[in-house]
Amino acid sequence: MATPMPSGVPRQPPPQTDNPNFQQKQESLPDDLQKWNPNKPSPFPGSAPTLPPLVRPPPSSSTSAPSQPNSRPGAPPPLVVPGPNVPPNVGSVRPFGPPNGPPSPFRSPSGPPSPFGPPSGPPSPFGTRPPPGSLPSSMGGGPVISPRGSGAPGPGGRPGAFGSSSRNGPPVGVPPPMMVTGRSPGPAPSMGPFVGSPQASPKPGPPTQSAPPFSAPLAAPFGTQTWAPGQVAPPTAAPNAAVQPPRMFGMPPPQPNQPLPAIDQTGASLEDARKINSNQIPRPTTSYSKIQYDTRQGNQANIPPPASCDYIVKDTGNCSPRYMRCTIHQVPCTADLLTNCGMELALMVQPLAPLHPSEEPIPVVDFGEGGPIRCSRCKGYINPFMRFTDHGRQFICNFCGCVGSTPHEYQCNLGPDGRRRDADERPELCRGTVEFVATKDYMMRDPMPAVYFFLIDVSMNAIRTGATAAACAAISQVIADLPEGPRTMLGIATFDSTVHFYNLKRVLHQPLMLIVPDVHDVYIPLETDVVVQLSECRKHIEQLLESIPTMFQDNSTAESAFVAAIKAAFLAIKSSGGKLLVFQSVLPSVGMIALSARDAEGRGNISAGEKEPHKPLQPADKALKTMAIEFAECQVCVDVFTTTQTYVDIASISVIPGTTGGQVYYYYPFSSISDPVKLYNDLRWNITRPQGFEAVMRVRCSQGIDVKEYHGNFCKRIPTDVDLPGIDSDKAIVVTLKHDDKLQDGSECAFQCALLYTTVYGQRRIRVSTLSLPCTRNITNLFRATDLDAQFVCSLKQVANEIPFTPLLQIREQVTNICINKLLAYRKFCTTATTSGQFILPEALKLLPLYTLALTKSTGLQTDVKIDDRSFWINYVSHISTPSAVCLVLPQMIAVHNLDFDKQEENGSAIPPVLPLSSEFVSEEGIYLLENGVNGLIYIGSLVDSNIVRQLFGFSTVEETPTQFALQQYDNPLSKKLNDVVNEIRHQRCSYLRWTLCRKGDASGALFFSYLIEDATPKDGPSYSEFLAHLHRSIQAKMS
Amino acid sequence: MANSDPEGVDGVRMTWNVWPRTKLEASKCVIPLAASIAPIRPHSDIPTLPYAPLRCRTCSAVLNAYSRVDFLAKIWICPFCYQRNQFPPHYAMISETNLPCELYPQYTTVQYTLQMDPYPNNPSNAPQLQPVFVFVLDTCMIEEELVFAKSALKQAIGLLPEQALVGFVSFGTQALVHELGFTEMSKVYVFKGSKEIPKEQVLEQLGLRAAGGRPTAGYPKGLQNGFTNTVVNRFLLPASDCEFTLNSLLDELQTDQWPVQAGHRASRCTGVALSVAAGFLGACLPGTGARIIALVGGPCTEGPGTIVSKDLSEPLRSHKDLFKDAAPYFKKAVKFYDSLAKQLVDQGHVLDLFASALDQVGVAEMKVAIERTGGLVVLAESFGHSVFKDSFKRVFEDGEQSLGLCFNGMLEIGCSKEIKVQGIIGPCTSLEKKGPNVSDTVIGEGNTTTWKMCGLDKSTCLTVIFDLSSTDQSNVPETVNPQFYLQFLTSYQDPEGKTLIRVTTVTRQWADISVSTEELIHGFDQETAAIVMARITSLKMETEEGFDATRWLDRNLIRFCSKFGNYRENDPSSFSLNPCFSLFPQFIFNLRRSQFVQVFNNSPDETAYFRVLLNKENITNAAVMAQPSLISYSFNSPPQPALLDVASISADHILLLDSYFSIVVFHGMTIAQWRNMGYQNQPEHQAFALLLEAPQVDAQIIIRDRFPVPRLVVCDQHGSQARFLLAKLNPSATYNNATDIAQGSDIIFTDDVSLQVFCEHLQRLAVQS
């Protein structure tokens, strides 16, 4: 033992930079280690088992080391210490080993305050500083972790090196000495070199540190945004603008060395909010260049870029933030710490999120009959953070710490770094996201076929408004996009006050229409032939879709038995499960669970709606939920396309899609001119987007953290799993987390989301995404590692959930309070007392006020919103992904009158820079496009050059603006460019958008201006600067 | 009464043609006072009058040949209530030499046509009176059977009058109402098979309710054009318009697609299908003549009307089960069909059942609905069998062979005030119209003097059971009233949709038994009496629990013989019966042995079937059912009736047995041998060929006129099919007395008593004091 230690120790440290902010090369480490390892084996053949641990330790220790130096200005002393300490540590580590570790680790940190002093200390000394981030990172850095690693290797004392620990987040914290060791090696100098060659993985050297940290130091200091209300602002503002966009995500301003606290917290008295120069207010940056993002660097989780920007992910151990994004990229060690910071710990999970075209596809791993390797206790799936020991014969689960034996055929020797030698060839051992081929054990039955059942409203209104025709046309076009092959089944039914099925079997000359008239107790008219193989009956289906609109042309039935129809359709596909796509146009008025026009209730006293929960926002009938659960149990996923002119009680209807993993599409008021195209595109995307059936999802966390709740569109029957009859690339689920124990500072906490699902081609798969984050005791770290988008979306969804049950005023207040509390916490714990007069925003949260303001002015919280609009918003929010959520609340506005059609924007995107959402930026001589992922508004100023109008829209004066409109491309460059832009936006949003032309002076104009959330409106609140002033006052009040 | 037409112009036959005056006397006569009436039996001597009948102000009896008329005062006196009625103005021309038709003494039966249609020029009214046919087809059959059924249906549709409206319902696990008027594609309303659906729901679910106000049940005048037209357009189309649609629909119709579990019966919702058909028909055209024609291939196993569970290990109920109350579904099903019958009667619609299956299909349960509505029933083994095919065709055929299916019949009976009506046995429903002539005791459909016959045809026959008023009639001066009168008034719609009223007035004499029974005896109609007894027995067997039919018949026969026989007490050998009664014991003997009393050889379905026909057919046909006729063919003599006795079997005779439901051609052993050797094909044996042919020809004649078409069994002596004959013969020769058997004759292996033994016992018991 002794021998290895010394050698190992020195080397390890250098390579690793712990600070997440730094871009690190993971590869470099292993390589380096491996090189080193070979030597080892020979000298210590007998000690082979110990080697692996050694290998790993380095990363962790190294990570910690570098960060520390960086973080701390005065780092030197610790460095000294380490060397000597190492050996002893080893010894001590061992005993505590893996499982028991926890207690000791905790003690150690606290106990040996002095040694840690420096690292942990930062908070206090630097606490004032916003960027303390750097410090915390070092803290989290993992010295703590290492012990574990060392513990495991037990035999070989040197594992004490802790390196391994980095992977095993939770368990054992190693005594302070470890840290020291880490540092000692990592003297700043070493870092230099790495900086230069961040990408050069092969380099043996400890190229951990990426250049950015250093290069960007300047930025970093300013990271925390200060907002100088009146006077001071200038300096800060400028830097911010420059700084933020930069591509380094992880890197926020970790540079502890740069003691620029003063700058960070430029504060100005908020005496007169109105004086604020709106240009200085924090706003989302206009354009992002493409960002390359590695999920882990230097064996350290890397803070991901904002959800809404364009980035390319390289999976280097952690899963892509697209799949799983934590609200804070460091995990607070204790529940108290979390409470103090006023933030929520949650994961935004989007298991089937679409990839950027440049990203590598998810590797599919087939373990054969045995199925994927899993922890025998907690059933966690094999992932890069499971540590192999005993020559690879055993592995330690990074969730529960259980030691499991490796199946014989899966065994592999470990390299000197403690990693399996085949780790890099095996995706499950080096990638954050892999997909396993599921075995029989994962199937209750054969994987279900791809079943699509279309249910179309043919009641009088649907027919007359053209909704039926639009639906039929859309379906008929979209059939071509359904998966090919005999496994694709399809059924069609229509409904008015009765339900009409169609026997589509081939032998019949024409489809046979089967009417189920009993809408109080529905049933299916045929056991078979209502759902048929698409490949065999294509002709009949097309014929039918063509004839439906004419067949019901004279339908005089105004009633709709929507619920009964859904139930009947459900019965038809019950045996297999499948997707049920419903096109609905009127309020379900007859049959089971008929609904009434509740929108009239309380219309008279809208103000009352603000003071008490609005009943019509709640589902009218509990039976809907019961029914929805039944659907979910049979793996039926319902999507509802509401094409209506009136109130349809979306609050009630959405219960079914909301429980079955589907969603509501809302076309109100339905226009037969502009909406059919969108309907088709929505349907097409609905069917062609990556998706799965009969899915079950579970999130596992390392010991100490547990899942509190899941939010999203799914059905939950047992506490641990969510059932998703359908899951697709657009659906996200929020998983809130809670502490059930303390975590060890410096360890890592892992989260794993496993989604078992069936592909449209009938393969059963398990998609496993693992995210391992460092733990920290430092509140400043938390603020630095905060993910604003995730934070915001998390609270957005929670707020949305509450809207039906809480008075609007109260909710708005609550939303503002969430914002205030976060800022207050930051103010309290992370800034110096001297800045009390200033309004200080942490860099990571600088947009929080804007987001918050936008939220209070969103459809969900606005005062004057139709019930259905609000219900739709609530439902939509419940499942949207982080990027869509941000853009939903904070629309993008661009000017289109002056599109420069020759110029590509810098980043290759066709979209011009976005404008702040303030009427200051809207000129009556311009044309503006504003979109939020759902609606697209084009505002035509009243003084626009008629030539431009003609070029773009085909009419010449603003007065001719039609109310219903379909964007067309005319033969001129401007129009082409506009279409390019629109298409680009559509592409980005995966949404066709509902387009409206707006002009001043009528409702459409008012609608447009209602999206300009920076403006003050009499009903819905203050302007952005007023709001900031309000926040500042509130915080000051609370501080005093 | 001429033998050829015992019912005469009036179509009335009575057990007693002379009635005792008192109730007491009547009860002593043993055989009840009853009349068998054929309400619309056609007869060339019946005049049709183009005006409405003239009715008595108080009792609403129709002016008839027995009314006394005061030509001067222009007054007629009703023979029933003695009310004096003024003739209305249009009778002003009446005089002794200028009598209206109904007053001619020979026209005891006249028919009136009514112009019900107030707007004869309005063509839209015309189709409403067209008959409506709703076909209800079972699809739970094997492919082959369904093909037969479908082709029969197609043929039937081809035979329908062009304007007749047609609807179509098919059923299996669920009931499917086909909307024939929907042209875009085949459209079907599907009703769940397991749930009873009230009429209102059927209407609502078919989307018929919103189309207009609910028409009141009743008669054509209650129709609303708009309403009926939408319905007509959607579900009921003139045969000419929908023949193509229906044919292609039938071509595509498959057997029920719902899976049948192994070891289980198909799921078949006959009950729901029928109630749905009834429901929408009721909504469509209340008061119009409509028939639901159900083709059923198996038992109902789903929903209301279920008669057996789906599990094949559970057999269908037998008579034994019914007797022991071990048929769990029976009562519920009967109750369901009873309510269906009520609904159909309200609407004036008919249920016809064509059941073809090897096992039972539930006729026993459905009987109530069929009989009350006057529907047809045919029971066959297969839809490919001639019993079904030919019968089904007959229903739709025109011309001389036509059944003359009429609709919406209503029978009113008027009678002298001493007479009460207990009820009617036969295809009709009491309308519960109370009156002074309603008896307190009820037999069959009683408690009324008015009955509804939703469906009736030329051969429909009803048995009216009378009673006498219990009040003493001695205070009525005999001189005033030596006669009593009965008037049967039947209004109905004929197949063309015309409304007709037929009035039959009969008179019979009172007899004073205390003076002499001679008159009474001569007024006895043995055949009618036997059949009335048979019908009453059947009824009692169905309605009275633990009723011992054989014993009841025996007791009545003994009482009867005691009353009317000539004998010395306790001396059997002295017993003799008046020739007017001589055949009666033999009738009863055969009745005791018939399928009506000996039910245990048959399934409940068969029994129900037999009874429906027993009650509906005229006396002559019914008599054949109870006591088959046997004709013997031989070289030596022309065909001649033979005794219904095993002794009639002879090796060189051919026997033709007509037991109504089956016709047996039975070749004696020798004949069979000759035939097998092919003699009939040799020119020199043409006589033999003719002999072989003769019974076949006669059988065909019988078959041609009969509905349902009987099963023809051709068999040889000692062949297995010979049982059809042997079962009907008097077992005068059994293995117990096989010694004195004529050569070539046969014996019957039975312990049943022979007629001879029966009569001996009868004599002995009759003479006991």
Side-chain angles (χ1 to χ4, degrees), chain A residues 600-644:
Chain A
E601 288 173 30
R603 191 187 260 162
N605 50 346
I606 291 171
S607 54
E610 294 187 29
K611 290 181 186 129
E612 56 197 49
H614 209 169
K615 262 276 161 79
L617 292 172
Q618 301 168 13
D621 193 332
K622 290 207 173 70
L624 281 164
K625 185 72 180 175
T626 317
M627 190 159 115
I629 291 172
E630 189 190 355
F631 288 13
E633 281 170 0
C634 296
Q635 309 297 351
V636 171
C637 166
V638 184
D639 288 311
V640 179
F641 296 79
T642 299
T643 50
T644 184

Side-chain angles (χ1 to χ4, degrees), chain A residues 26 29-30 33 52-53 55-57 59-61 63 141-142 145-146 148-149 162-171 296 299 316-317 383-388 396-399 417-420 423-424 429-430 702 746-750 770-773:
Chain A
Q26 279 192 334
L29 286 176
L33 294 168
V55 176
R56 290 196 178 172
S60 73
S61 63
T63 43
I145 300 167
S146 56
R148 225 277 196 115
F162 0 82
S164 61
S165 66
S166 65
R167 300 207 177 158
N168 311 331
R296 283 181 84 84
N299 202 18
T316 51
N383 64 66
F385 309 98
M386 288 213 173
R387 203 158 48 82
F388 285 81
I396 301 167
C397 174
N398 57 330
F399 301 108
D417 54 355
R419 295 181 77 211
R420 283 169 57 121
D424 290 331
L429 296 180
C430 64
S702 292
S747 63
E748 288 214 342
C749 178
T770 313
L771 177 66
S772 188
L773 299 174

Side-chain angles (χ1 to χ4, degrees), chain A residues 498 502 508-518 521 523-527 529 544 547 551, chain B residues 174 176 179 182 184-192 195 201 204-206 252 254 257-259:
Chain A
T498 55
Y502 298 90
L508 298 171
H509 296 311
Q510 55 176 5
L512 166 66
M513 182 176 181
L514 298 147
I515 296 173
V516 174
D518 188 348
D521 177 17
Y523 41 88
I524 47 171
L526 273 183
E527 169 88 349
D529 303 345
L544 173 64
S547 53
M551 201 159 65
Chain B
Q174 296 166 326
L176 283 66
E179 184 174 329
F182 195 74
E184 318 273 342
M185 60 172 68
S186 314
K187 181 173 174 185
V188 184
Y189 283 80
V190 184
F191 291 83
K192 198 166 165 179
K195 191 172 148 188
Q201 258 181 47
E204 187 184 324
Q205 297 186 1
L206 291 177
E252 284 198 346
Q254 294 167 308
Q257 300 290 296
W258 289 83

Side-chain angles (χ1 to χ4, degrees), chain A residues 14-351:
Chain A
Q16 302 165 349
T17 48
D18 101 337
N19 196 331
N21 303 324
F22 298 90
Q23 295 184 353
Q24 300 174 344
K25 263 287 155 169
Q26 279 192 334
E27 289 91 346
S28 65
L29 286 176
D31 286 349
D32 174 35
L33 294 168
Q34 278 166 2
K35 278 187 185 167
W36 174 75
N37 287 333
N39 303 331
K40 281 216 165 174
S42 59
F44 314 93
S47 61
T50 57
L51 290 178
L54 281 180
V55 176
R56 290 196 178 172
S60 73
S61 63
S62 67
T63 43
S64 67
S67 74
Q68 288 175 354
N70 292 335
S71 61
R72 266 185 236 146
L79 293 176
V80 181
V81 185
N85 289 344
V86 175
N89 292 337
V90 176
S92 64
V93 171
R94 260 254 231 84
F96 294 100
N100 301 332
S104 71
F106 288 113
R107 253 178 256 141
S108 61
S110 62
S114 66
F116 284 115
S120 61
S124 64
F126 300 100
T128 50
R129 273 185 229 152
S134 60
L135 292 177
S137 71
S138 68
M139 302 275 309
V144 181
I145 300 167
S146 56
R148 225 277 196 115
S150 63
R158 36 45 206 240
F162 0 82
S164 61
S165 66
S166 65
R167 300 207 177 158
N168 311 331
V172 188
V174 171
M178 310 289 293
M179 311 251 318
V180 180
T181 57
R183 283 175 204 156
S184 64
S190 66
M191 315 213 17
F194 302 112
V195 173
S197 57
Q199 302 236 345
S201 58
K203 275 205 177 174
T208 19
Q209 304 239 342
S210 59
F214 296 103
S215 61
L218 298 175
F222 303 99
T224 37
Q225 172 127 20
T226 39
W227 170 63
Q231 326 86 332
V232 187
T236 35
N240 286 341
V243 172
Q244 296 160 1
R247 26 222 82 203
M248 1 237 32
F249 298 81
M251 29 188 324
Q255 299 264 339
N257 295 331
Q258 307 220 355
L260 298 179
I263 301 180
D264 299 337
Q265 313 179 346
T266 43
S269 63
L270 288 168
E271 283 149 14
D272 184 0
R274 261 152 247 177
K275 285 187 187 167
I276 296 167
N277 177 346
S278 67
N279 289 321
Q280 294 162 1
I281 301 178
R283 290 205 174 102
T285 46
T286 50
S287 70
Y288 295 110
S289 47
K290 277 215 179 71
I291 290 147
Q292 297 284 339
Y293 166 71
D294 287 2
T295 57
R296 283 181 84 84
Q297 278 184 328
N299 202 18
Q300 187 78 35
N302 204 357
I303 295 186
S308 44
C309 74
D310 197 9
Y311 57 93
I312 296 167
V313 179
K314 186 165 181 203
D315 182 344
T316 51
N318 268 348
C319 67
S320 159
R322 299 185 201 281
Y323 301 125
M324 200 152 49
R325 183 181 272 271
C326 190
T327 51
I328 314 174
H329 294 287
Q330 297 201 11
V331 181
C333 286
T334 65
D336 289 347
L337 185 58
L338 182 61
T339 320
N340 283 342
C341 75
M343 294 187 284
E344 176 118 33
L345 187 60
L347 294 167
M348 314 300 306
V349 183
Q350 195 181 354

